[in-house]
Amino acid sequence: MTEQTEQTEQTEQTAETAETEQTEERQAVVSPPPPDVLPAVPAVPAVPAVPAGPAVPAVPEGTPLVPPKATKDRRVLRAVLRWTAVVVVFAAVGTAAAYGITRQERTDLPGLATEPDGRWDYPEIVRPPLPSGSPAPFAEANRAAAHHADLRALVLPAPEGAKADKALRGEDGWLATKDFLAEFASKEDRKAAGQVLTDHGLRHVAARGWTTRDGTHTRIYLLRFGTAAVADELFATELIHYDSPTYAVRGAEEFDRDEDFPEKTEFAHVTRSPYAETQPYGAEQVRQAYLSAGDTVALIVQSRKGTAGAVPFQQTVVLQSQLLS
């Protein structure tokens, strides 16, 4: 029994020793070695670059794995953009058309055209240049309100298709005083007007005349004096009365003031007195107007067999006023 007991104990000790060694081996496998005894990690060789393909957007978490209906959405977006563009284009066209209407004459608009009202086609009206260093006629520095520009260039040009009146060309563009006085009907008026012009120190007379296709004969005279004060006095006290001019022009005897001029056609620094021959008139009717602008007085006369049109007369007076303003 003693031998068997000793063998049994040796067997148990051997089993315990084997079990202990297995446990230590398992712990050695599971537990990593201390940091100071970690083996060096070999370098990873570089991987050759692979050509990049089209970028694939990241899919957020929770996105269903069902292809979105992009085609339909794109169609809707394109339709919205097309209609937006159409609205913008129509808005721009409407604005441009509205602006164009405000800038055009009524007779220039299809559908709104009216019958021709008798206006003439004048060339582009441009004020002549001032001599270097000279002020404008109504500038604060120009106390005499003198027109320093060439007086001959301040006469309104003839409209298109008109025939020039050679008798008013004068010499080198300057008209003799006697040729201006020939506009008045009676000898007494010519003599009296001549004396008045001399007393007020008339300097120059520039003129232009023409006849249009409808037979209207136009004459324009510009008379320059020393200062605006002299010209204003001559205009107000010697050449006109409120209801009629002082001196009757050829072909007419009685005049009334022409009240048909709209107020919006008046110009600053220009005073006008328009007149129309009253019935019964002879073979032709005469219209005339005096203008006073700074150092210059203008006389505009239009006559036509039958009746002298009001519209071309007003147009001529307004344009000449504009040149002198």
Side-chain angles (χ1 to χ4, degrees), residues 41-47:
V41 179
V44 179
V47 180

Side-chain angles (χ1 to χ4, degrees), residues 138-157:
F138 303 105
E140 186 176 354
N142 190 348
R143 296 186 178 182
H147 287 83
H148 293 290
D150 191 333
L151 188 67
R152 295 166 292 184
L154 288 172
V155 184
L156 184 68

Side-chain angles (χ1 to χ4, degrees), residues 248-269:
V249 297
R250 292 174 292 159
E253 294 182 2
E254 299 294 331
F255 286 89
D256 277 343
R257 188 174 179 85
D258 188 347
E259 303 291 353
D260 293 336
F261 276 80
E263 293 183 359
K264 65 180 181 180
T265 62
E266 295 180 352
F267 290 89
H269 311 296

Side-chain angles (χ1 to χ4, degrees), residues 262-287:
E263 293 183 359
K264 65 180 181 180
T265 62
E266 295 180 352
F267 290 89
H269 311 296
V270 179
T271 305
R272 72 185 180 203
S273 289
Y275 304 96
E277 183 183 7
T278 59
Q279 292 182 340
Y281 36 80
E284 62 180 14
Q285 184 189 23
V286 179
R287 295 178 182 269

Side-chain angles (χ1 to χ4, degrees), residues 67-79:
K69 298 180 181 180
T71 303
K72 183 176 179 180
D73 293 343
R74 285 196 294 269
R75 290 176 180 174
V76 173
L77 179 59
R78 284 197 295 267

